[in-house]
Amino acid sequence: MLLKDFETDSAVINDGKFVKVDGYDELEIKTRGYTDAYLDARTRRLKQAAEKYDGDIDLIPNGERRQINGELLRDYLVLDVKGVWHDKEKQNPVTADEFRALLGNPSYDRLTSACWRAVGLVQVAATAQQQDAEGN
């Protein structure tokens, strides 16, 4: 194995990319991968939330964790969205701000799940893109 096989296209992770998520028809999500800013914020927010539970992150209730994860998606990862509409005629698209505002809402768990899958796809694409650029 070559050392360059371990390289990742950090520009894709930091700048984001539109990806289609299987099982979600027309939905395309522009998201970043797992950036340093996201990972640092996740550590801070979970540590802060765990203070109420004697510092034990594992004791953070699911609802609170869902809210934290939704905020992290909204604030650090999800950038834009295509293919989501307010009407069947597809005349009134959902804006990125409207989309992001629903992240962490338990009524929209499927939307949040699609976003996490999109983040993973960008992370994988960053590795594949780097390898493709180098002719691997």
Side-chain angles (χ1 to χ4, degrees):
M1 179 172 253
L2 299 174
L3 180 59
K4 68 181 182 175
D5 293 337
F6 293 98
E7 284 184 297
T8 300
D9 185 347
S10 59
V12 170
I13 291 173
N14 290 312
D15 298 340
K17 175 181 178 163
F18 269 106
V19 293
K20 292 182 81 78
V21 181
D22 287 341
Y24 294 90
D25 297 330
E26 303 170 37
L27 175 63
E28 290 186 60
I29 301 169
K30 183 175 184 182
T31 183
R32 294 179 176 107
Y34 296 108
T35 64
D36 289 341
Y38 158 77
L39 294 169
D40 292 343
R42 182 184 68 178
T43 299
R44 280 191 311 275
R45 290 186 188 186
L46 288 174
K47 185 176 180 179
Q48 182 180 19
E51 288 175 0
K52 297 183 279 189
Y53 308 100
D54 295 323
D56 190 343
I57 290 173
D58 293 330
L59 295 179
I60 299 170
N62 188 60
E64 194 172 340
R65 195 177 282 267
R66 179 190 307 109
Q67 188 62 39
I68 291 167
N69 287 335
E71 290 169 0
L72 290 166
L73 275 170
R74 181 193 68 221
D75 296 345
Y76 292 93
L77 300 176
V78 175
L79 302 170
D80 203 353
V81 64
K82 295 180 197 174
V84 182
W85 308 92
H86 287 289
D87 58 333
K88 289 183 182 182
E89 296 77 27
K90 299 181 180 179
Q91 299 297 315
N92 189 10
V94 172
T95 68
D97 288 338
E98 290 171 323
F99 187 84
R100 284 193 306 265
L102 297 171
L103 298 173
N105 181 329
S107 296
Y108 287 89
D109 274 348
R110 188 166 179 248
L111 179 143
T112 301
S113 176
C115 290
W116 285 118
R117 289 177 60 190
V119 171
L121 290 170
V122 168
Q123 196 73 30
V124 169
T127 301
Q129 210 167 14
Q130 185 68 29
Q131 290 173 351
D132 289 346
E134 294 168 353
N136 288 337

